[in-house]
């Protein structure tokens, strides 16, 4: 598994837990709010768990962008310095 | 059915304790915002709140013993004592069973619960203080009021979060209106606490120093605290004892968003306004002033302003948010709103929305009475309260006819 | 105008029906559930009158349930059962006329204390889980029930500990009389957690129990199908100096408001009713909750009411006869309700 895939799967698990879904139900590009009934509370908690897991700080302003798993990965990669 | 009037006001707030100081605070646009002293806020990026540092319960209370009650109960009881004194209520009442208390709250005895948490962290569950545990139940807020004033009738605490005072006023109104009681003390109380401060900060809903409702750049609430109480009586009872009458309670409305625990819902808020106006037997055009929920978060103020527009159409009355001055006093908030509304009617002025600098281009129909109190004839006023859980409650007050 | 009960929903240590609640109360011995490995934290007891095997995910599904606290989940399940039992289906025509009135003590003490604890033990005091923040407000259960079942009518939460159900019943009766709602889910809920277990132990109120019991109260005449019971009146008061006299006064007022003679009362449900020994005949049947189900605080009155309903259902000759439901607290709160139960539909008795 590539670094990118590993990160994506870890993020998928975090997102799934907060959104109360099975990881395999979380599609890469599906919009959390439109398709999975996410709200701002859950978005903040996803961010918090990511910060804790990767010891990285991400401003809450980035939440506007982090609306799908793929988008989350891009934002986290930027702040964590991943070369995915 | 009986008409219901307001005969006494008891604010214990960060902009004034007692009706005279509070009225002066509203007229001058005083701010309660200051660095937090109730708890160690040093770990928070935002460290301001609307506390009541001047609150000295022992100086205000005559019957209840301070050591036996939590801070929120003391705020409620002190507010009630001030309101009863302001009403010149003849205590003990001739028929105490026909007099009661309804008090609203969000977090009840939050400072007591946080003391229990400190006990728990220090020594585990068995080290929780039995005295604190006995003080923690939320029903004790109304009991403190009843004990302080010697009231033997209904004594109920409504825990419907940040609209709870309006629930309390509405329920007290019903008990008087239907002849179940002659006198009711209604209002709310809450204390500043760590957990609410943390929760609102985490939601991104907490501003740093200034609460700026309806401003383009508003950035959230300030947590606040206080006790707000109103003496409500049937008109006959008030007239029979020659009481000064501030205003009349015209009615109230309640509904529930059933949509989201935290996010407000515009349609539901508008529906609640219509329910309240109907219950009061008035039309939107009759309303001269709206004391808004106006928390200062982008979401609330947008939702509330749009709901107001939906109900009032092209004739939106001036609105203001006293949370700009007090902070968000949670369960006491709509009680302070009710007191401010009553004073607006009685003295002919609109309390300002302070810290206001820039109109919000999304809300061009909103006149927030910016920064300076305004003389105005207020015959009918609407007092909004919304809450977590989608618990909307609105009260309507009018000049006595 | 009175309110009519047309459905009920129960989750209790004795079982999920009012008949099982009654059976436990009649047996009079404490229901024991093994709780020793239920929590990571220590408990003051290995067995308690707690609900066994409550599976929120199984009952309500995964979505929207993993962050619920136990009190909220218990209330949501009981509310759903009461709606189903009362055959009321919320739809776009009626949902604004259906509401929820729940009794509580402090909301979920565990939710609040855990959330507050995080502000002390995390690296930064604001590193709390925002999804759990709504659990710290005491109207969480009523708000979540409204969301789940789409109920946009009056939604209230009333604090009262042992009196909470009677306060809620009176609040609901007012809302129905005033025309604010056509149907209300009225009940009480309390959860068993290390917090409540230790609180009960340390204040000599134990053992702590837990339950949720909710009743569908409808405007008389608006009910579809059979009525289980009618709530004729509720009176409450505050009598810290002489609670016995206060309770007797309340019972007297409730009976007068219901136009019922004391001699006609056949049963007395609720704990701490000794103050009524000079009011109602000593021969009336008594249904105390605490000996069997522990200190269920805000759910206690709702369980007592359920036991009354079950008693009426099993003995048709008591049908339509008035019973008293009472409660009091050590702080001086007192309350009494007059209710009549029916064996089945009850249409013949009105």
């Amino acid at each position: 598994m590539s670094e990118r895939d590993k990160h994506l799967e870890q993020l998928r698990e975090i997102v799934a837990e907060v959104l109360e879904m099975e990881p395999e139900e979380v599609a890469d590009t599906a919009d959390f709010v439109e398709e999975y009934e996410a709200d701002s509370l859950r978005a903040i908690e996803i961010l918090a768990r990511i910060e804790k897991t990767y010891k990285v700080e991400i401003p809450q302003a980035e939440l506007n962008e982090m609306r799908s798993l793929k988008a989350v990965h891009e934002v986290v990669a930027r702040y964590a310095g991943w070369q995915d | 059915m009986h008409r219901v009037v307001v005969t006494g006001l008891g604010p214990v707030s960060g902009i004034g304790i007692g009706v005279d100081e509070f009225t002066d605070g509203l007229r001058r646009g005083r701010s309660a915002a200051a660095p937090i002293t109730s708890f160690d806020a040093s770990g928070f990026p935002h460290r301001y709140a609307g506390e009541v540092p001047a609150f000295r319960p022992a100086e205000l209370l005559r019957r209840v013993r301070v050591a036996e009650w939590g801070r929120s109960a003391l705020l409620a009881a002190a507010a009630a004592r001030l309101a009863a004194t302001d009403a010149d209520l003849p205590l003990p009442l001739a028929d105490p069973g026909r007099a009661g208390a309804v008090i609203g709250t969000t977090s009840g005895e939050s400072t007591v619960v946080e003391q229990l948490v400190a006990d728990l962290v220090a020594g585990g569950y068995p080290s929780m203080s039995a005295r604190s545990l006995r003080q923690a139940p939320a029903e004790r807020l109304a009991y403190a009021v009843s004990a302080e004033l010697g009231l033997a009738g209904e004594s109920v605490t409504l825990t419907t979060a940040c609209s709870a005072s309006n629930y309390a006023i509405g329920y007290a109104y019903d008990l008087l209106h239907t002849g179940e009681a002659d006198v009711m003390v209604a209002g709310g109380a809450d204390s500043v606490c760590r957990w609410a401060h943390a929760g609102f900060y985490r939601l991104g809903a907490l501003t740093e120093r200034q609460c700026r409702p309806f401003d383009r750049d508003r950035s959230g609430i300030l947590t606040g605290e206080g006790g707000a109480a109103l003496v409500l009586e049937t008109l006959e009872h008030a007239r029979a004892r020659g009481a000064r009458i501030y205003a009349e309670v015209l009615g109230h409305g309640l509904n529930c968003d059933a949509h989201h625990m935290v996010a407000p819902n515009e349609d539901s808020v508008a529906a609640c306004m219509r329910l309240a106006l109907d219950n009061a037997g008035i039309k939107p055009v009759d309303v001269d002033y709206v004391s808004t929920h106006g928390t200062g978060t982008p979401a609330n103020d947008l939702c509330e302003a749009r709901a107001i527009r939906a109900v009032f159409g092209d004739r939106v009355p001036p609105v203001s948010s006293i949370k700009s001055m007090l902070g968000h006093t949670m369960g006491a908030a709509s009680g302070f709103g009710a007191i401010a509304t009553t004073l607006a009617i009685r003295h002919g002025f609109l309390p300002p929305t302070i810290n206001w600098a820039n109109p919000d281009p999304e809300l061009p129909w909103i006149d927030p009475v910016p920064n300076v109190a305004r003389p105005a004839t207020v015959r009918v006023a609407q007092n909004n309260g919304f809450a977590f859980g989608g618990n909307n409650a609105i009260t309507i007050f009018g000049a006595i006819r | 105008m009175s309110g009519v009960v047309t459905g009920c929903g129960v989750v209790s240590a004795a079982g999920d029906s009012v008949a099982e609640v009654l059976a436990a109360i009649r047996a009079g011995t404490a229901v024991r559930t093994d709780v020793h490995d239920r929590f990571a934290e220590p408990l003051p007891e290995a067995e308690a009158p707690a609900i066994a095997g409550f599976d929120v995910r199984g009952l309500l599904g995964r979505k929207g349930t993993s962050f619920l606290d136990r009190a909220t989940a218990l209330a949501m399940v009981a509310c759903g059962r009461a709606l189903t039992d009362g055959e009321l289906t919320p739809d776009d025509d009626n949902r604004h006329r259906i509401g929820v009135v729940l009794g509580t003590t402090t909301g979920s003490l565990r939710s609040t204390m855990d959330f507050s604890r995080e502000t002390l033990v995390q690296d930064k005091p604001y590193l709390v889980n925002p999804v759990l923040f709504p659990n710290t407000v005491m109207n969480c259960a009523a708000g979540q029930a409204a969301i789940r079942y789409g109920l946009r009518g009056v939604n209230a939460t009333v604090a009262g500990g042992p009196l909470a159900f009677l306060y809620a019943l009176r609040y609901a009766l007012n809302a129905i009389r005033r025309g604010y709602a056509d149907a209300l889910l009225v009940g009480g809920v309390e959860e068993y957690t290390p917090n409540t277990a230790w609180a009960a132990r340390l204040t000599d109120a134990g053992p702590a129990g837990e339950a949720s019991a909710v009743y569908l109260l409808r405007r008389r005449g608006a009910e579809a199908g059979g009525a289980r019971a009618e709530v004729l009146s509720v009176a409450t008061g505050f009598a810290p100096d002489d609670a016995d006299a206060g309770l007797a006064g309340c019972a007297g007022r409730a009976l007068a408001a219901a136009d019922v003679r004391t001699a006609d009362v056949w049963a007395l449900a609720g704990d701490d009713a000794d103050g009524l020994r000079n009011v109602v005949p000593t021969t009336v049947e008594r249904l105390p909750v605490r000996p069997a189900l522990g200190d269920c605080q805000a759910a206690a009155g709702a369980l007592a009411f359920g036991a009354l309903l079950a008693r009426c259902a099993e003995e048709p000759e008591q049908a339509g006869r008035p019973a008293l439901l009472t409660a009091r607290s050590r702080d001086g709160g007192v309350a009494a309700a007059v209710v009549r139960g029916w064996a089945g539909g009850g249409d013949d008795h009105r």
Side-chain angles (χ1 to χ4, degrees):
Chain A
M1 192 184 278
S2 70
E3 275 298 292
R4 182 177 193 282
D5 288 346
K6 202 181 86 195
H7 286 140
L8 214 49
E9 290 326 297
Q10 289 169 341
L11 291 170
R12 196 187 307 276
E13 258 184 51
I14 291 172
V15 167
E17 191 166 308
V18 177
L19 299 185
E20 300 172 284
M21 304 166 66
E22 299 302 330
E24 55 271 24
E25 294 168 351
V26 180
D28 286 7
T29 56
D31 186 286
F32 296 160
V33 176
E34 299 295 325
E35 299 186 42
Y36 303 146
E37 298 167 39
D39 59 13
S40 58
L41 276 60
R42 286 175 200 255
I44 296 166
E45 179 60 11
I46 289 170
L47 183 69
R49 291 186 187 202
I50 289 168
E51 289 183 323
K52 212 177 237 178
T53 306
Y54 299 110
K55 309 264 185 287
V56 58
E57 271 193 49
I58 303 171
Q60 280 203 3
E62 296 287 357
L63 281 175
N64 296 330
E65 259 188 65
M66 300 167 68
R67 290 177 62 108
S68 69
L69 184 66
K70 189 162 166 286
V72 165
H73 176 262
E74 282 165 15
V75 171
V76 180
R78 195 157 71 236
Y79 283 89
W82 295 341
Q83 303 300 315
D84 295 355
Chain B
M1 293 291 168
H2 305 262
R3 290 171 68 185
V4 177
V5 295
V6 183
T7 59
L9 301 173
V12 179
S13 83
I15 64 163
I17 294 173
V19 69
D20 293 340
E21 272 187 26
F22 185 76
T23 307
D24 187 60
L26 291 180
R27 282 185 184 280
R28 291 170 187 267
R30 200 177 290 148
S31 172
I36 289 170
T37 58
S38 309
F39 60 86
D40 176 8
S42 57
F44 287 95
H46 296 178
R47 295 185 287 271
Y48 272 54
E51 295 176 320
V52 194
F55 179 48
R56 313 251 187 285
E59 290 173 13
L60 297 171
L61 296 165
R62 295 192 207 153
R63 283 170 55 111
V64 304
R65 292 179 49 201
V66 171
E68 292 174 7
W69 302 83
R71 181 174 175 85
S72 296
L74 294 171
L75 284 164
R81 171 59 72 182
L82 287 167
T85 303
D86 184 49
D88 204 14
L89 209 57
L91 298 173
L93 293 169
D95 190 351
R98 303 260 314 153
V102 191
I103 297 299
T105 188
T106 295
S107 304
E109 288 297 5
S110 50
T111 53
V112 174
V113 171
E114 295 211 309
Q115 186 53 51
L116 290 169
V117 173
D119 293 347
L120 168 63
V121 169
Y125 289 99
S127 63
M128 293 191 296
S129 142
R131 199 184 79 155
S132 295
L133 287 167
R134 288 198 177 94
Q135 290 181 354
E139 62 263 27
R140 285 172 52 89
L141 272 60
Y143 292 169
V145 170
S146 294
E148 173 65 15
L149 302 181
L151 314 179
E154 188 124 13
S155 186
V156 174
T157 303
L158 294 169
T159 53
T160 47
C162 298
S163 57
S165 280
N166 265 350
Y167 271 81
I169 292 164
Y171 188 44
Y173 164 85
D174 280 341
L175 296 175
L176 293 163
H177 187 60
T178 57
E180 297 271 322
D182 298 327
V183 180
M184 293 297 294
V185 178
D190 259 297
S191 307
V192 159
C193 67
R194 290 175 69 94
W195 93 64
H197 200 75
F200 282 108
Y201 179 80
R202 195 64 166 151
L203 295 188
L206 193 69
T207 192
E208 190 171 355
R209 293 187 178 204
Q210 285 191 331
C211 175
R212 312 166 72 180
F214 302 107
D215 187 287
R216 182 194 65 201
D217 301 329
R218 62 187 180 273
S219 57
I221 72 161
L222 272 183
T223 52
E225 67 177 359
L230 296 86
V231 174
L232 307 180
E233 301 178 55
T234 60
L235 181 61
E236 303 93 292
H237 192 272
R239 287 210 166 129
R241 70 180 189 89
R244 172 209 41 212
I245 294 170
Y246 277 109
E248 180 170 2
V249 187
L250 298 178
H252 65 108
L254 299 174
N255 74 352
C256 181
D257 296 346
H259 165 70
H260 192 276
M261 280 301 287
V262 173
N265 181 281
E266 181 185 327
D267 292 342
S268 183
V269 163
C272 190
M273 290 184 199
R274 294 190 182 101
L275 283 172
L277 294 173
D278 279 352
N279 183 255
I282 57 168
K283 298 193 160 34
V285 68
D286 300 326
V287 176
D288 298 313
Y289 166 65
V290 179
S291 178
T292 62
H293 187 58
T295 58
T297 63
N300 174 82
D301 296 1
L302 179 66
C303 165
E304 186 171 13
R306 283 180 172 165
I308 286 172
R309 173 78 164 176
V311 172
F312 290 90
D314 291 334
R315 304 179 66 166
V316 174
V319 309
S320 66
S321 169
I322 59 171
K323 289 187 180 73
S324 63
M325 297 177 260
L326 296 166
H328 193 339
T329 57
M330 308 292 160
S334 49
F336 285 123
I339 293 174
T341 299
T342 301
L343 291 168
I345 291 168
R346 170 78 177 181
H347 298 303
F349 77 100
L350 306 181
T353 303
I354 68 166
N355 305 322
W356 191 91
N358 304 295
D360 184 338
E362 285 195 75
L363 316 172
W365 58 89
I366 290 292
D367 165 11
V369 193
N371 302 320
V372 183
R374 181 189 303 168
T377 301
V378 183
R379 282 159 305 230
V380 175
Q382 172 181 321
N383 178 41
N384 289 351
F386 314 129
F388 277 16
N391 284 185
N392 306 313
I394 294 173
T395 49
I396 311 281
F397 296 82
I400 188 78
R401 284 163 287 130
Chain C
M1 197 201 304
S2 57
V4 171
V5 174
T6 63
C8 64
V10 177
V11 190
S12 87
D16 291 355
S17 69
V18 291
E20 286 161 295
V21 171
L22 174 65
I25 285 174
R26 194 179 271 147
T29 51
V31 173
R32 289 163 186 273
T33 301
D34 181 358
V35 290
H36 84 275
D37 60 354
R38 184 172 287 194
F39 303 98
E41 303 91 330
L43 291 170
E45 59 239 343
E47 292 181 323
I51 297 161
F54 177 71
D55 172 18
V56 60
R57 195 180 280 200
L59 291 163
L60 297 175
R62 175 171 186 181
K63 197 79 182 165
T65 56
S66 45
F67 298 102
L68 294 178
D69 59 45
R70 189 168 173 90
T72 300
L74 289 170
M76 286 168 74
V77 169
C79 282
R81 287 177 178 166
L83 281 173
T84 304
D85 187 46
E87 295 174 12
L88 178 60
T89 308
D91 58 35
D92 287 344
D93 292 328
N94 67 15
R95 66 176 84 255
H96 66 291
R97 300 285 300 168
I98 309 173
V100 184
V101 185
L102 292 182
T104 186
T105 307
T106 52
S108 167
L109 192 60
R110 181 174 176 85
S111 287
T112 308
M113 289 183 70
D114 282 358
F115 196 85
S116 176
R117 186 174 171 278
E118 291 296 294
T119 70
L120 294 178
V121 302
Q122 291 289 344
D123 290 345
K124 301 284 183 191
Y126 51 85
L127 293 179
V128 290
N129 180 345
V131 183
L132 300 177
F133 190 36
N135 296 2
T136 68
V137 289
M138 286 183 265
N139 59 343
C140 181
Q144 290 281 17
I147 292 169
R148 177 150 190 114
Y149 305 110
L151 311 178
R152 299 214 181 113
V154 173
N155 189 282
T157 306
V158 188
L163 291 126
F165 176 70
L166 282 159
Y167 289 161
L169 199 56
R170 180 160 160 85
Y171 186 93
L173 209 52
N174 173 71
I176 281 177
R177 283 174 174 161
R178 296 282 294 137
Y180 303 154
D182 293 329
L184 291 168
L185 293 164
V186 189
V189 61
E190 211 69 66
E191 60 182 12
Y192 181 89
T193 62
N195 309 59
T196 61
W198 283 105
R201 166 64 62 95
L202 295 167
T203 59
D204 303 318
E210 68 175 345
S212 178
V214 175
Y215 304 90
L216 183 62
L217 187 73
R218 308 195 70 168
R219 194 156 46 81
R220 189 164 162 176
E223 78 273 18
R228 303 280 180 75
E230 183 176 12
V231 182
L232 298 170
S233 65
V234 188
T236 73
F238 183 66
D241 300 325
D242 189 348
D244 280 353
L247 185 59
C250 254
R253 278 186 283 132
L255 290 166
D259 202 15
V260 165
R261 292 179 312 155
T262 310
D264 292 336
V265 172
W266 72 272
L268 186 54
D271 295 306
D272 305 313
D274 290 350
L276 293 177
R277 60 186 167 272
N278 298 323
V279 179
V280 293
T282 49
T283 51
V284 302
E285 194 164 322
R286 288 178 188 250
L287 299 166
V289 172
R290 200 185 300 121
L293 292 161
D295 184 21
C296 290
Q297 300 200 78
L303 291 172
F305 184 53
L308 265 183
L309 297 196
R311 188 74 184 81
C312 292
E314 71 177 15
E315 195 161 352
E317 67 189 62
Q318 305 300 359
R321 290 188 62 195
L324 268 174
L325 177 65
T326 69
R328 60 186 277 186
S329 72
R330 63 178 148 209
D331 287 321
V334 289
V338 180
V339 300
R340 297 194 286 178
W342 289 293
D347 296 319
D348 298 340
H349 303 280
R350 281 181 289 138

